[in-house]
Amino acid sequence: MSNRTTESNKTQIIADKSLAQTGALAVQDAATNMRDMNALLSTASGAALAKFIEQGDVKYLQALEDLNKQTKTSTDHFIDLFNSVTNSQNKQLDDESNKTQIIADKSLAQTGALAVQDAANNMRDMNTLLSTASGVALANFIEHGDVKYLQALEDLNKQTKISTDHFIDLFNSVTNSQNKQLDD
């Protein structure tokens, strides 16, 4: 083998290691971003539900729906990056690059698991808020007899489904990606 080929192989190995590490770090950053965004959106959702409870105005439920759309966007961005990085990891590496790849794969698996845990916490928090608002809507319906509170209850149930669907999408994406890595 010529020196030029050997040098080219070394350069490729370094590039492969760098890409594996950079991809894993990018996924970690995206998971942190998603966690921070979900915390902010959860706080805003709590404020919207508090206003709904206080005033009984269903416009705050529309705000909640808009916030859930933002949560989905944040989750979708993470899923896209996570899938992109895990699908592009090169499995035909030499021993040294393979060690780097194993470390990157472990990092991706940990980040995926933490993202699922964060999504579960977010869903749990959202469901607590939605349950409280549902109780208030039901109490207001019983007290006032106004059907707008039943519509609000239906809207709150839709938001619960959306929150659950976000979790399922993220969970399935991470699990499918990890299963694919195990198969490779």
Side-chain angles (χ1 to χ4, degrees):
M1 189 174 344
S2 72
N3 284 342
R4 183 175 283 186
T5 304
T6 304
E7 192 62 35
S8 177
N9 286 344
K10 288 179 184 178
T11 302
Q12 185 60 47
I13 290 168
I14 292 169
D16 289 344
K17 290 166 89 174
S18 178
L19 285 172
Q21 292 168 337
T22 302
L25 290 172
V27 170
Q28 287 176 344
D29 287 346
T32 299
N33 183 53
M34 184 182 69
R35 183 181 318 112
D36 293 347
M37 183 61 96
N38 286 342
L40 291 170
L41 292 168
S42 182
T43 300
S45 296
L49 287 172
K51 285 292 190 181
F52 168 72
I53 291 168
E54 178 185 305
Q55 298 175 11
D57 191 341
V58 293
K59 74 179 180 186
Y60 295 109
L61 296 181
Q62 179 59 48
L64 181 64
E65 186 173 333
D66 294 341
L67 291 166
N68 264 330
K69 287 177 186 174
Q70 291 302 313
T71 301
K72 175 147 180 49
T73 300
S74 175
T75 302
D76 287 347
H77 288 168
F78 173 79
I79 290 171
D80 290 345
L81 179 62
F82 185 84
N83 287 337
S84 177
V85 170
T86 56
N87 290 337
S88 70
Q89 296 293 329
N90 187 357
K91 298 298 181 185
Q92 296 97 255
L93 304 173
D94 68 2
D95 286 341
E96 187 61 33
S97 291
N98 207 12
K99 290 176 187 174
T100 302
Q101 186 63 50
I102 290 169
I103 292 168
D105 287 346
K106 285 180 180 180
S107 177
L108 288 171
Q110 284 180 319
T111 302
L114 290 172
V116 169
Q117 186 177 24
D118 288 341
N121 289 339
N122 186 54
M123 183 181 68
R124 188 178 307 109
D125 293 346
M126 186 60 78
N127 286 339
T128 299
L129 292 169
L130 292 168
S131 293
T132 302
S134 295
V136 171
L138 192 55
N140 283 338
F141 172 71
I142 292 169
E143 182 180 335
H144 302 289
D146 190 342
V147 293
K148 77 177 181 181
Y149 294 110
L150 291 180
Q151 179 60 45
L153 203 58
E154 189 175 315
D155 291 342
L156 290 166
N157 283 332
K158 286 179 189 174
Q159 295 306 309
T160 300
K161 176 151 179 32
I162 290 169
S163 179
T164 303
D165 289 345
H166 291 169
F167 173 78
I168 291 169
D169 289 346
L170 180 62
F171 180 84
N172 286 337
S173 177
V174 169
T175 328
N176 291 339
S177 177
Q178 289 175 348
N179 288 340
K180 185 177 177 184
Q181 283 181 341
L182 291 174
D183 292 341
D184 286 343

